[in-house]
Amino acid sequence: MPIFYDAVIVGAGPAGLAASIVLARNGLHVLVCDQHRLPIDKPCGEGLLPPGLRHLQALGVMSFLDPAETYPFQGIRIRTSSGRTAEAPFLEGPGLGIRRVSLSLALGQAALQWRNLEILEAPVRGVSRAAEGMEVHLRDRTVKTRLVIGADGLNSQVRRWAGLEGVNGRTRRLGARQHFAIPPWSDYVEVRHGAAIEVYVTPCGNNTIGVAFLWDMARYGSARGGPQMIPSLLRMFPEIDERLRGVPTSSQSRGIGPLYRQAKRQIADGILLLGDAGGYLDACTGEGISLAFAQALSLEHTVVPLLKKAPKTILRRQLLPYEHAYRRIIRPYAIATRLLLSLHRHPYCFDRFILAMQRNPDILQSFYSAQMGEASFWPGWSKLFRLVRGVLV
C-alpha cells in the first residue's frame, strides 16, 4: 500500500527545503526527495541579498548558520571593461555571503526539526496522475500525494514530466565558480565586466571568497570544463588573477548552464514549480535564492489552505493564486535582468550607464532596491533627468 503525503517535493536545494519548512510548520505531512545527500553543493554566486536574508529569518534558519562561514556585504561595486566604476550600499541593510553547502546544511537542520517532514536520499523516476491523487515513483517504491512540488533546478525533470517545458531562447550563458582561502578584501560584492564575460567576487566567510563567472557560450565555449577552466577565466581579469596567484583553493571548480530556461506555466493539475524549475533568465542580478525563498513563503497563503481542505489532487485552477504570486515575485528581477543583459550586449551603452550611476550613486541604490522588489523602477522626474544627463554628458 503506497504511503500518502500531503505534498512531495522533488529537489532538496534551497527552494525545496524552504518549501518543506513552510508546509511542515503548518502541520502538513511532507516528503522531500533528492538523489544527493545533504548538504548539497551547486555552482552559485553565494551572495544573499537583503530580502533573502529577511526570508531566511522568516523561515527560522538564521540560528542554524555558522557565523564563521558567513560574511555581511554592504552593497555591490560594478566595474566596466574600460575601468569605469560605480558602487552603492543597499538601502535595506547588508546582504550575506554564505557558502552554498553551509546554507544547505542550515536549511536541512531547520527542516528536520519537524517530525512531519521526511528527507529521503532517492532519485525520483517519474510522476503520474492517479484516481485519488498523484503518484511519485522512486527507485524502490511509489508514494501518493495531493501535490508534487518541482524544486529540482534548471534542468527540472518535473517541469518536463508535467509538459511545462518552454522553448529556450538563443541566449546561452554559462556559469562557473570556485572558492579561495583568503580573507575578503572588500565588504562589497565586486562585479567586473569584460567582453561578454563577468566575474563576481563575493566574501563568503572570514577566510573565504567565492569567485563566480558568467559568460557567453558563443564567445568563450573553449573555457568549459576541466581543471584549467577557472584559471583560464581568471586570466581575463589580470588584477584579480594577480591577487589570487598562489592562494589555495578551498573548493572544487563547478560549472553550470546554459542558464536560460523557460516554462510555459508554473502550475498543472497536481504539480507546481518552484525556484529555478519554474524558469530562469540569468544570474547577473544575484537573486536566485532570494526569489526561491519568497516563492516558498508564498505557499503559506496560496497552497497551504488548499492542502488542508482538499481531499484529492489539487487542480490547476486552484493553484492560480500561487502562479500569480510567483509572477509578482519575479517581475522586478525579470525587468532588471533583461535590462542588464541588453546593456551587456552593447558595451558602450553599458559604460555610459555605469558612468551615470557613478555620478549618481543614490540612483544606483534605487536601482538595487527596484530589482529586489523593494521599490518602483520609476525613479521620479528629478532622478530621471539626472540619469539621462549622466548618460549623455
Side-chain angles (χ1 to χ4, degrees):
M1 186 76 176
I3 302 174
F4 184 86
Y5 295 89
D6 292 306
V8 174
I9 299 172
V10 182
L17 291 174
S20 74
I21 292 170
V22 170
L23 298 183
R25 73 187 182 188
N26 281 279
L28 297 167
H29 192 195
V30 183
L31 174 67
V32 183
C33 300
D34 199 294
Q35 62 182 328
H36 301 293
R37 180 177 299 177
L38 294 178
I40 300 171
D41 201 1
K42 179 186 172 183
C44 178
E46 299 179 331
L48 198 59
L49 298 182
L53 192 54
R54 193 168 64 240
H55 299 330
L56 262 190
Q57 292 168 337
L59 289 165
V61 178
M62 293 298 294
S63 61
F64 294 95
L65 293 176
D66 182 350
E69 296 187 9
T70 67
Y71 201 95
F73 57 87
Q74 303 306 314
I76 300 174
R77 179 180 297 123
I78 304 172
R79 183 173 178 177
T80 70
S81 57
S82 70
R84 204 177 301 282
T85 302
E87 66 179 66
F90 301 124
L91 286 169
E92 296 75 16
L96 191 71
I98 176 171
R99 283 287 310 272
R100 182 60 173 264
V101 289
S102 301
L103 179 61
S104 175
L105 182 63
L107 283 163
Q109 291 172 335
L112 289 173
Q113 291 183 107
W114 303 98
R115 297 180 65 181
N116 50 323
L117 190 160
E118 300 173 50
I119 299 176
L120 184 64
E121 182 189 349
V124 175
R125 304 299 191 190
V127 170
S128 60
R129 294 181 178 89
E132 296 297 319
M134 302 294 295
E135 293 186 342
V136 179
H137 308 288
L138 306 177
R139 180 168 44 203
D140 56 354
R141 57 178 153 148
T142 294
V143 298
K144 288 193 172 184
T145 182
R146 281 175 289 162
L147 183 65
V148 176
I149 297 178
D152 49 342
L154 287 178
N155 300 310
S156 171
Q157 289 185 304
V158 176
R159 185 176 64 225
R160 180 168 54 83
W161 292 332
L164 297 174
E165 192 81 52
V167 178
N168 296 323
R170 297 179 180 178
T171 302
R172 294 176 66 81
R173 298 238 295 169
L174 303 177
R177 72 98 179 101
Q178 191 161 34
H179 298 90
F180 293 82
I182 183 174
W185 57 76
S186 173
D187 60 356
Y188 276 63
V189 173
E190 294 193 355
V191 184
R192 300 196 182 196
H193 289 257
I197 186 170
E198 308 106 65
V199 61
Y200 300 75
V201 181
T202 304
C204 293
N206 294 333
N207 194 50
T208 306
I209 63 161
V211 179
F213 297 88
L214 296 174
W215 72 93
D216 187 327
M217 187 174 175
R219 289 285 298 272
Y220 298 108
S222 60
R224 290 175 293 161
Q228 290 305 308
M229 176 174 61
I230 297 298
S232 68
L233 294 169
L234 271 173
R235 283 194 289 271
M236 301 178 196
F237 300 92
E239 289 184 28
I240 297 177
D241 189 29
E242 176 65 29
R243 191 185 283 265
L244 295 177
R245 193 161 298 161
V247 175
T249 59
S250 53
S251 70
Q252 290 185 336
S253 62
R254 288 179 177 266
I256 193 169
L259 298 173
Y260 184 78
R261 292 289 190 277
Q262 196 168 41
K264 294 176 183 177
R265 302 193 67 165
Q266 285 72 45
I267 56 173
D269 287 345
I271 295 175
L272 70 79
L273 303 178
L274 189 86
D276 296 352
Y280 196 72
L281 289 173
D282 197 81
C284 61
T285 59
E287 290 188 86
I289 294 177
S290 297
L291 294 171
F293 288 163
Q295 293 158 22
L297 288 166
S298 78
L299 298 174
E300 202 129 39
H301 64 270
T302 60
V303 172
V304 166
L306 293 173
L307 288 173
K308 285 191 170 183
K309 68 181 182 181
K312 297 182 180 180
T313 301
I314 308 296
L315 301 177
R316 185 176 71 174
R317 59 179 172 78
Q318 296 174 292
L319 293 170
L320 283 172
Y322 167 75
E323 188 173 59
H324 294 157
Y326 176 99
R327 293 180 179 181
R328 185 174 63 253
I329 289 165
I330 69 165
R331 189 174 297 120
Y333 153 79
I335 293 171
T337 301
R338 288 191 175 103
L339 172 61
L340 289 175
L341 289 175
S342 178
L343 288 170
H344 291 172
R345 290 191 288 269
H346 301 89
Y348 176 78
C349 295
F350 182 66
D351 199 67
R352 300 302 298 184
F353 177 77
I354 295 302
L355 173 61
M357 296 300 187
Q358 184 184 62
R359 293 169 172 170
N360 302 279
D362 63 314
I363 300 179
L364 184 57
Q365 271 189 321
S366 297
F367 180 78
Y368 291 156
S369 295
Q371 78 172 44
M372 293 186 290
E374 303 290 297
S376 169
F377 277 100
W378 171 246
W381 289 109
S382 174
K383 286 184 178 179
L384 180 63
F385 175 76
R386 287 193 286 125
L387 177 61
V388 172
R389 185 176 63 182
V391 169
L392 297 178
V393 177

